[in-house]
Amino acid sequence: MTHEPSIRDAGPGDAPFLTDMLLEAMNWTGEARFSREQALADPKIAHYVTGWPGPGDFGVIAEDGSTGAPVGAAWARPLPATDPGYGHVAPDVPELTLGVLPAFRRRGVGGALLDALLARAGREGVARLSLSVEDGNAAVSLYRSRGFVTVGREGDSDTMLVTL
């Protein structure tokens, strides 16, 4: 029997799992394009998880309803203009990252995580969130369904923004 995932706030002890989910987000095609070591050695990638949680960071974790094991995460970090992320819009717009374990994709986990993160952003007084999504990534339809719109393009990725 499948149990609905539960959602909880991400805390300091979740940093290793956030790194796992960053890799899932980056390797969404199923091909291991980036290893953990490569991601953490590259400052343009590592800044999404290094020092978690920092000022202004917030996130949520989905846990399997039957085992309690973490199966996905969504989090947001404000990144400075001097160290922008791939979905950078402005220093006061936190960048969102969302990752779900492959066995739990297309089962509503990503939507539940995104909804919980958007609600948390509203409680935190965050007005906008941004993200980057590569061409061909099916998650773009999830983002659009929650009000994200394309505001820029970098290489083969769109920068998307939602106003809360």
Side-chain angles (χ1 to χ4, degrees):
M1 175 186 280
T2 302
H3 299 279
E4 291 295 315
S6 61
I7 307 288
R8 66 168 174 80
D9 287 340
D14 292 309
F17 184 68
L18 295 184
T19 303
D20 293 343
M21 292 304 93
L22 175 62
L23 288 170
E24 290 297 337
M26 293 171 47
N27 295 326
W28 62 270
T29 63
E31 179 184 330
R33 299 183 296 169
F34 300 91
S35 71
R36 182 181 209 88
E37 294 74 26
Q38 288 170 319
L40 293 176
D42 184 340
K44 292 180 73 87
I45 298 171
H47 63 190
Y48 288 103
V49 293
T50 302
W52 172 267
D57 293 351
F58 56 97
V60 290
I61 305 289
E63 295 178 332
D64 182 273
S66 59
T67 67
V71 299
W75 68 99
R77 300 193 98 168
L79 296 171
T82 56
D83 186 23
Y86 292 100
H88 185 78
V89 172
D92 65 338
V93 178
E95 293 187 49
L96 180 153
T97 305
L98 189 149
V100 176
L101 292 174
F104 290 85
R105 292 180 188 158
R106 302 192 193 291
R107 294 171 51 185
V109 175
L113 283 165
L114 186 55
D115 291 343
L117 190 73
L118 293 173
R120 176 77 189 271
R123 290 192 304 275
E124 296 285 331
V126 173
R128 301 180 298 165
L129 289 172
S130 67
L131 58 83
S132 176
V133 62
E134 286 182 283
D135 293 346
N137 189 330
V140 72
S141 62
L142 171 64
Y143 301 135
R144 286 187 181 131
S145 76
R146 300 314 195 268
F148 282 83
V149 296
T150 300
V151 295
R153 183 130 178 106
E154 181 79 26
D156 62 353
S157 299
D158 286 333
T159 299
M160 301 184 82
L161 180 73
V162 67
T163 301
L164 305 171

